């Protein structure tokens, strides 16, 4: 079956602009995660959705970052007033409730000029 | 504060020999550990995991060892193959499954033919 998909694959934007990144999880997966990987760094947790529960937003670096998940499926990560330090690969993952492993999408490479 | 550490940014191993990748953690609450493999321009893919109730888990050529007292785990690949060349991430979570993962910074493994 289809894996996790993310769009766009690459995004170049100017400092101060808003961007939206999209994630389509694997069908039936109840949990959805966003991570980012900055150059030379490991993956940094951003936010986690599990079913209808309130999301765990503890990893969001500032209030410029927000995410929503509509209908328990597709998720959008929004970064407002982008800064150069927001440049990174943003990765989405999903997992079924009963599984211990997360399935990752290919990521969106964001470059803020 | 880096709670999961991979102190070797790179490792080169001859084809057919054993590759040993190491990971240390500081948070004693972590009780589930995973290894992910990442090729360029792709998302990480799950490789193998281990629960804190075990000290070893084996899957084909891959074995993960956990030393809870030392807060150390390692991934053994034997025999190493050229297709194993990738970046390997160690990750940990509090609780099994659907929780946020804390990742290390990765080790780039190169298998020399």
């Amino acid at each position: 079956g289809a894996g996790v998909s993310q769009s766009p694959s690459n995004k170049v934007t100017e400092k101060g602009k808003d961007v939206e990144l999209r994630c389509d999880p694997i069908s039936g997966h109840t949990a959805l995660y966003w991570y980012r990987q900055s150059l030379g760094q490991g993956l940094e947790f951003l936010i986690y959705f599990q079913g209808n529960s309130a999301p765990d937003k503890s990893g969001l670096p500032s209030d410029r970052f927000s995410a929503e998940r509509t209908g328990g499926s597709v998720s959008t990560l929004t970064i407002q007033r982008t800064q150069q330090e927001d440049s990174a690969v943003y990765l989405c993952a999903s997992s079924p409730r009963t599984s211990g492993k997360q399935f990752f999408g290919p990521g969106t490479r964001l470059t803020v000029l | 504060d880096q709670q999961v550490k991979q102190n070797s940014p790179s490792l080169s191993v001859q084809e057919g020999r054993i590759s040993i990748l190491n990971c240390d953690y500081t948070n004693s609450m972590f009780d589930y550990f995973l290894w992910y493999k990442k090729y360029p321009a792709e998302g990480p893919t799950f490789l193998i995991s281990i629960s804190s109730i075990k000290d070893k888990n084996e899957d084909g050529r891959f074995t993960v060892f956990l030393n809870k007292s030392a807060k150390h785990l390692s991934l053994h690949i034997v025999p190493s193959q050229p297709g194993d060349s990738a970046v390997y991430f160690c990750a940990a979570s509090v609780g099994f499954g659907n929780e946020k993962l804390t990742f290390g910074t990765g080790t780039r493994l190169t298998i020399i033919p």
Side-chain angles (χ1 to χ4, degrees):
Chain A
V4 177
S5 61
Q6 293 186 244
S7 61
S9 54
N10 280 284
K11 176 71 176 179
V12 180
T13 190
E14 293 179 349
K15 179 181 172 181
K17 300 280 189 181
D18 297 352
V19 295
E20 284 190 353
L21 312 179
R22 176 186 169 108
C23 172
D24 285 84
I26 293 172
S27 177
H29 281 193
T30 57
L32 186 147
Y33 312 77
W34 283 96
Y35 296 86
R36 73 175 176 182
Q37 184 180 17
S38 303
L39 191 63
Q41 302 297 312
L43 281 73
E44 173 191 7
F45 167 79
L46 297 177
I47 187 169
Y48 156 56
F49 297 88
Q50 172 60 279
N52 295 320
S53 303
D56 177 350
K57 304 179 182 179
S58 60
L60 295 179
S62 78
D63 59 7
R64 296 186 295 105
F65 288 72
S66 63
E68 63 177 23
R69 189 177 184 192
T70 54
S73 181
V74 172
S75 178
T76 302
L77 177 69
T78 302
I79 309 173
Q80 296 178 311
R81 305 181 303 281
T82 53
Q83 303 295 311
Q84 288 182 333
E85 61 263 29
D86 299 335
S87 296
V89 176
Y90 288 80
L91 291 153
C92 174
S94 70
S95 69
R97 177 176 289 277
T98 56
S99 172
K101 61 185 181 185
Q102 299 174 17
F103 297 80
F104 282 82
T108 293
R109 180 174 296 278
L110 175 66
T111 303
V112 182
L113 302 177
Chain B
D1 175 34
Q2 192 73 26
Q3 297 187 61
V4 178
K5 301 177 184 179
Q6 293 177 259
N7 293 319
S8 297
S10 64
L11 176 69
S12 294
V13 174
Q14 206 75 31
E15 180 179 359
R17 307 294 286 266
I18 184 171
S19 296
I20 300 176
L21 295 95
N22 293 302
C23 178
D24 297 289
Y25 60 96
T26 57
N27 187 344
S28 57
M29 297 296 291
F30 287 145
D31 58 3
Y32 188 65
F33 305 89
L34 308 91
W35 284 93
Y36 280 82
K37 175 179 178 179
K38 186 179 184 303
Y39 293 119
E42 295 183 11
T45 56
F46 171 80
L47 199 55
I48 193 169
S49 63
I50 188 167
S51 162
S52 60
I53 61 173
K54 295 185 174 181
D55 54 18
K56 175 183 174 181
N57 189 27
E58 190 172 352
D59 183 2
R61 296 186 298 113
F62 303 91
T63 303
V64 56
F65 295 91
L66 175 63
N67 182 333
K68 290 186 289 294
S69 61
K71 294 192 179 66
H72 177 84
L73 63 156
S74 61
L75 174 68
H76 293 210
I77 307 173
V78 56
S80 300
Q81 299 174 354
D84 296 330
S85 294
V87 177
Y88 288 79
F89 290 97
C90 171
S93 70
V94 177
F96 170 81
N98 302 315
E99 298 290 340
K100 61 187 182 186
L101 296 177
T102 301
F103 282 84
T105 52
T107 296
R108 181 178 301 278
L109 176 65
T110 302
I111 304 303
I112 305 165

